């Protein structure tokens, strides 16, 4: 009996050493969670239960529990390195099986899917069909777009100008865009885009009329007039009063590129008539040319954006995080993966930075939670326990031998 008790102590100490060895081996494993050997004492029961003077029968390993504490987040600068700052696991799909990981060292495969080093695909909430928000009820594989971003045709040109309050009627009449003496000021030209992404120059010319606080604006695209001049009226305090909306519709313009007809509106809202100098305070338009993929970025709420050289941002999905009532009930699958079990509870999937889910840190990785100094101390303690139990067996052997040698 006593030999078995000490043998159980040796086995327990050996298990403790094995757990410590595994922790030390994974000191640099991304997203690794250290384990702890937990023990329980043993008692021998009889038919009538445990007597009051019963002596323990040794020890057993009751659990090897992984400690799901937060690891340090180390910046890497790599766009496909993600770290979870807080609760939750990345959700991945491998050959139809849903698994979970804290290791965010992702990469792309030959089809553009974002995968773990062993090929499991990162799961995201797909964008809604209308482009507004994400479908949190549907998980899909994250695939990076490698095609060009299509162009967008210009529909609105925004100009905010300050026209000189002391302006006089131009000395030359009628208006001629080639003659600076026939107009007071001009926007200098704004690049607008047709449906093929080809740029054209839209220019607005401002001409002071003989009427107080009245101007005319002439609009041209690539040197071609796009409509009759529109009249602008300002109040005695210099604010634009007509047109009330500040918008002037231009006539349709058909580019020579074979693109569709350009239908544009000039928005002068916020323009004023002050002072004695012309000022162009704001110039914007809502079109852009075709663009090439320049980078992938991830926001703290897990939204993955493809950024293009034309300034367009396309949301590819929102990273899905999963949490459990009892993370220690997860079953380790190797390769930094865990699988759900009955003990872990039902998986609960949601968006980062919501409820109790953590934030996503892009360009960073969560390091192993193993404290090497602590593990070395644990190793010494386990070694002493092993030696003590081995010595106990030796002592018991001597006592047994003494009994045997009694004459």
């Amino acid at each position: 009996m006593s030999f078995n008790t000490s043998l159980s102590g040796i086995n327990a100490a050996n298990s403790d050493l094995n757990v410590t060895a595994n922790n030390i081996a994974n000191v640099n494993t991304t997203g690794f969670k250290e384990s702890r050997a937990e023990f329980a004492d043993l008692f021998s029961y009889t038919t009538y239960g445990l007597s009051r003077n019963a002596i323990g029968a040794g020890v057993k390993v009751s659990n090897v529990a992984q400690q799901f504490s937060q690891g340090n987040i180390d910046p890497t600068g790599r766009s496909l390195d993600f770290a979870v700052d807080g609760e939750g696991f990345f959700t991945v799909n491998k050959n139809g099986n849903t698994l979970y990981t804290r290791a965010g060292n992702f990469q792309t495969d030959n089809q553009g899917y974002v995968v773990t080093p062993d090929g499991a695909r990162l799961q995201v909430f797909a964008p809604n069909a209308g482009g507004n928000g994400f479908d949190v009820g549907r998980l899909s594989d994250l695939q990076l777009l490698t095609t060009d971003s299509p162009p967008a045709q210009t529909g609105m040109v925004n100009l905010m100008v300050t026209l000189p309050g002391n302006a006089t009627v131009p000395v030359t009449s009628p208006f001629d865009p080639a003659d600076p003496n026939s107009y007071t000021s001009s926007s200098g030209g704004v690049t607008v885009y047709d449906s093929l992404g080809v740029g054209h120059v839209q220019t607005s010319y401002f001409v002071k009329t003989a009427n107080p606080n009245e101007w005319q604006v002439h609009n041209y695209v690539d040197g071609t007039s796009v409509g009759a001049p529109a009249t602008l009226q300002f109040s005695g305090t210099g604010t634009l009063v007509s047109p009330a909306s500040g918008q002037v519709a231009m006539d349709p313009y058909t580019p020579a590129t074979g693109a569709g007809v350009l239908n544009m509106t000039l928005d002068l809202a916020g323009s004023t008539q002050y002072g004695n100098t012309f000022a162009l305070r704001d110039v914007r338009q809502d079109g852009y040319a075709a663009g090439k993929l320049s980078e992938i970025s991830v926001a703290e709420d897990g939204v993955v954006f493809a950024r293009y050289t034309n300034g367009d941002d396309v949301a590819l999905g929102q990273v899905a995080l999963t949490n459990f009532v009892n993370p220690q009930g997860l079953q380790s699958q190797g390769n930094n993966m865990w699988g759900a079990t009955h003990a872990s509870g039902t998986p609960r999937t949601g968006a980062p930075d919501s409820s109790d889910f953590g934030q996503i840190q892009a360009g960073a990785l969560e390091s192993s939670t193993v404290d090497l100094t602590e593990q070395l101390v644990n190793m010494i303690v386990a070694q002493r326990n092993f030696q003590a139990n081995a010595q106990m067996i030796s002592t018991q052997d001597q006592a047994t031998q003494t009994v045997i040698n009694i004459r």
Side-chain angles (χ1 to χ4, degrees):
M1 179 69 177
S2 58
F3 283 103
N4 289 335
T5 301
S6 297
L7 181 60
S8 72
I10 287 178
N11 290 334
N14 187 61
S15 296
D16 199 6
L17 282 170
N18 289 337
V19 171
T20 301
N22 184 62
N23 287 339
I24 293 175
N26 286 280
V27 69
N28 289 321
T29 301
T30 300
F32 180 79
K33 302 301 178 183
E34 70 168 320
S35 298
R36 181 180 69 193
E38 298 177 347
F39 305 99
D41 56 346
L42 293 173
F43 277 87
S44 296
Y45 284 81
T46 67
T47 305
Y48 304 101
L50 185 65
S51 63
R52 297 184 61 182
N53 60 349
I55 299 174
V59 64
K60 68 175 181 177
V61 178
S62 62
N63 189 27
V64 178
Q66 291 193 302
Q67 307 302 301
F68 287 93
S69 58
Q70 176 73 53
N72 294 329
I73 295 180
D74 301 324
T76 65
R78 183 174 172 270
S79 60
L80 287 180
D81 283 344
F82 305 153
V84 179
D85 186 5
E87 299 294 324
F89 297 80
F90 295 111
T91 310
V92 298
N93 185 286
K94 185 175 183 182
N95 299 325
N97 295 322
T98 300
L99 299 173
Y100 310 95
T101 182
R102 291 282 294 195
N105 50 327
F106 297 106
Q107 57 196 35
T108 54
D109 63 11
N110 58 3
Q111 300 178 62
Y113 288 103
V114 176
V115 297
T116 63
D118 66 329
R121 294 179 177 179
L122 178 63
Q123 299 297 288
V124 296
F125 298 120
N128 287 325
N132 183 22
F134 301 89
D135 185 355
V136 296
R138 178 169 61 95
L139 291 178
S140 62
D141 302 332
L142 176 60
Q143 185 178 27
L144 303 187
L145 300 178
T146 56
T147 57
D148 290 347
S149 170
Q153 179 174 303
T154 300
M156 183 72 70
V157 178
N158 298 84
L159 293 180
M160 189 181 296
V161 300
T162 297
L163 299 173
N166 63 346
T168 58
V169 178
V171 297
T172 302
S173 183
F175 165 76
D176 181 358
D179 184 359
N181 292 320
S182 66
Y183 57 90
T184 308
S185 307
S186 81
S187 63
V190 181
T191 300
V192 296
Y193 298 92
D194 61 25
S195 60
L196 297 178
V198 178
H200 306 272
V201 178
Q202 185 276 328
T203 308
S204 296
Y205 299 90
F206 299 92
V207 179
K208 182 68 179 70
T209 70
N211 300 322
N213 302 322
E214 184 180 87
W215 294 74
Q216 285 189 331
V217 57
H218 300 254
N219 292 305
Y220 281 71
V221 175
D222 290 345
T224 301
S225 176
V226 285
T231 300
L232 308 178
Q233 291 282 350
F234 291 87
S235 69
T237 58
T239 59
L240 181 65
V241 295
S242 180
S245 64
Q247 295 186 354
V248 175
M250 305 182 207
D251 284 354
Y253 174 75
T254 303
T257 60
V261 176
L262 266 172
N263 291 289
M264 297 185 295
T265 299
L266 177 67
D267 189 350
L268 293 165
S271 295
T272 56
Q273 179 188 248
Y274 293 139
N276 55 12
T277 58
F278 172 81
L280 187 59
R281 306 200 318 269
D282 187 28
V283 180
R284 286 175 290 119
Q285 59 84 38
D286 58 0
Y288 47 81
K292 295 186 178 297
L293 182 66
S294 61
E295 66 172 332
I296 299 296
S297 65
V298 182
E300 290 182 347
D301 60 357
V303 179
V304 182
F305 290 98
R307 300 190 184 277
Y308 293 88
T309 54
N310 58 6
D312 188 27
D313 288 344
V314 177
L316 304 180
Q318 185 175 32
V319 174
L321 293 184
T322 301
N323 209 352
F324 299 86
V325 175
N326 177 29
Q328 288 192 354
L330 294 171
Q331 176 66 50
S332 180
Q333 304 290 323
N335 291 318
N336 299 325
M337 301 287 186
W338 288 278
T341 66
H342 178 74
S344 66
T346 303
R348 181 169 52 86
T349 303
D353 201 21
S354 67
S355 184
D356 60 342
F357 294 104
Q359 297 178 338
I360 300 296
Q361 298 292 326
L365 290 174
E366 182 183 9
S367 62
S368 170
T369 59
V370 175
D371 183 332
L372 189 56
T373 301
E374 178 185 4
Q375 296 304 314
L376 292 175
V377 172
N378 290 345
M379 179 183 67
I380 295 173
V381 172
Q383 179 186 17
R384 295 303 184 195
N385 290 341
F386 190 100
Q387 291 174 335
N389 281 282
Q391 184 62 43
M392 193 68 230
I393 290 178
S394 177
T395 301
Q396 291 164 355
D397 177 58
Q398 293 177 8
T400 302
Q401 188 64 42
T402 299
V403 171
I404 293 174
N405 289 337
I406 293 176
R407 307 257 182 224

